[in-house]
Amino acid sequence: QQQVKQSPQSLIVQKGGISIINCAYENTAFDYFPWYQQFPGKGPALLIAIRPDVSEKKEGRFTISFNKSAKQFSLHIMDSQPGDSATYFCAATNSGNTPLVFGKGTRLSVIA
Amino acid sequence: ETGVTQSPTHLIKTRGQQVTLRCSSQSGHNTVSWYQQALGQGPQFIFQYYREEENGRGNFPPRFSGLQFPNYSSELNVNALELDDSALYLCASSSRQRGVYGYTFGSGTRLTVV
């Protein structure tokens, strides 16, 4: 049973464009929603995270939008750069000491 | 501050064999979690160790086992390897206080079972 559904599976964006990756979750007990970035040959690295008490969180070019009623959240990458080319995973958990449940990932390619 | 180190980086095993993967946690971290990332999938939780005891387990069979040592490093052991065990195995360390909020992942061990 997949508790976090991520789309699209792959994404190609022009340099300078906006990359948007979407996730939907089922478990209403989830209260922490991080996004991880993974480069080939590396482990996932935390990019940005949000809790359900806010609808948006922005850090530099990266923004999470959160819709609690729809049980959806998304990652927006503004002014996408070739260096952003990586696989992005959304995840969720319902407390700090329960494991993360990951989406299947989105492979982003930013082309010049 | 050292990060999370995993060894080996790659290995190839034959079906039915046993394998041990190793993880050195980040300085100051006392919990270690292991995840399996199959090709084209997100990481899936295997188990977590705290104070040298298993402290949570995902949907993996008993042939997946682990250890945590007094220095907080950890091992993942897989017996009777199956082809479907081929994956990237990730170790994440954190402090008990921060839990998943403070995860630092290693670069993983790529296991191929033939």
Side-chain angles (χ1 to χ4, degrees), chain B residues 17-96:
Chain B
Q17 285 187 315
Q18 178 266 342
V19 69
T20 297
L21 311 182
R22 294 178 175 82
C23 171
S24 294
S25 59
Q26 180 169 307
S27 175
H29 287 180
N30 54 12
T31 70
V32 174
S33 300
W34 287 90
Y35 285 77
Q36 180 196 64
Q37 185 178 2
L39 196 63
Q41 303 292 318
Q44 282 197 296
F45 175 71
I46 303 175
F47 44 56
Q48 175 181 292
Y49 276 82
Y50 172 63
R51 289 187 175 177
E52 302 177 47
E53 291 189 357
E54 188 177 293
N55 182 39
R57 188 177 186 94
N59 189 26
F60 281 81
R63 57 189 187 83
F64 285 78
S65 63
L67 286 172
Q68 186 182 32
F69 300 98
N71 66 354
Y72 307 122
S73 65
S74 177
E75 287 183 354
L76 165 64
N77 298 289
V78 187
N79 293 321
L81 284 166
E82 301 177 0
L83 297 179
D84 284 349
D85 295 333
S86 295
L88 179 68
Y89 288 85
L90 295 164
C91 166
S93 73
S94 183
S95 66
R96 182 65 174 175

Side-chain angles (χ1 to χ4, degrees), chain A residues 9 31-32 36 38 41-46 51 87 89 93-105, chain B residues 31 35 37 40-45 48 55 88 90 95-108:
Chain A
Q9 189 174 359
D31 64 0
Y32 176 70
Y36 282 84
Q38 185 177 30
K42 299 293 186 183
L46 179 65
R51 294 185 180 277
T87 300
F89 294 95
T93 183
N94 64 344
S95 79
N97 275 309
T98 57
L100 289 171
V101 178
F102 285 86
K104 290 190 174 183
Chain B
T31 70
Y35 285 77
Q37 185 178 2
Q41 303 292 318
Q44 282 197 296
F45 175 71
Q48 175 181 292
N55 182 39
L88 179 68
L90 295 164
S95 66
R96 182 65 174 175
Q97 294 83 352
R98 295 207 66 205
V100 299
Y101 308 139
Y103 265 0
T104 298
F105 281 92
S107 293

Side-chain angles (χ1 to χ4, degrees), chain A residues 18-37:
Chain A
I18 302 173
S19 304
I20 302 174
I21 305 171
N22 301 299
C23 282
Y25 62 96
E26 300 168 4
N27 188 344
T28 55
F30 286 151
D31 64 0
Y32 176 70
F33 302 88
W35 284 89
Y36 282 84
Q37 180 188 55

Side-chain angles (χ1 to χ4, degrees), chain A residues 4-73:
Chain A
V4 179
K5 294 184 178 180
Q6 184 172 345
S7 63
Q9 189 174 359
S10 63
L11 181 62
I12 299 175
V13 174
Q14 293 276 354
K15 179 182 175 182
I18 302 173
S19 304
I20 302 174
I21 305 171
N22 301 299
C23 282
Y25 62 96
E26 300 168 4
N27 188 344
T28 55
F30 286 151
D31 64 0
Y32 176 70
F33 302 88
W35 284 89
Y36 282 84
Q37 180 188 55
Q38 185 177 30
F39 292 104
K42 299 293 186 183
L46 179 65
L47 191 62
I48 186 172
I50 197 168
R51 294 185 180 277
D53 54 342
V54 296
S55 60
E56 185 175 283
K57 183 174 181 180
K58 184 176 181 179
E59 290 184 1
R61 296 185 294 110
F62 302 92
T63 300
I64 301 179
S65 296
F66 186 83
N67 185 329
K68 189 174 182 178
S69 61
K71 293 188 288 185
Q72 295 175 347
F73 58 110

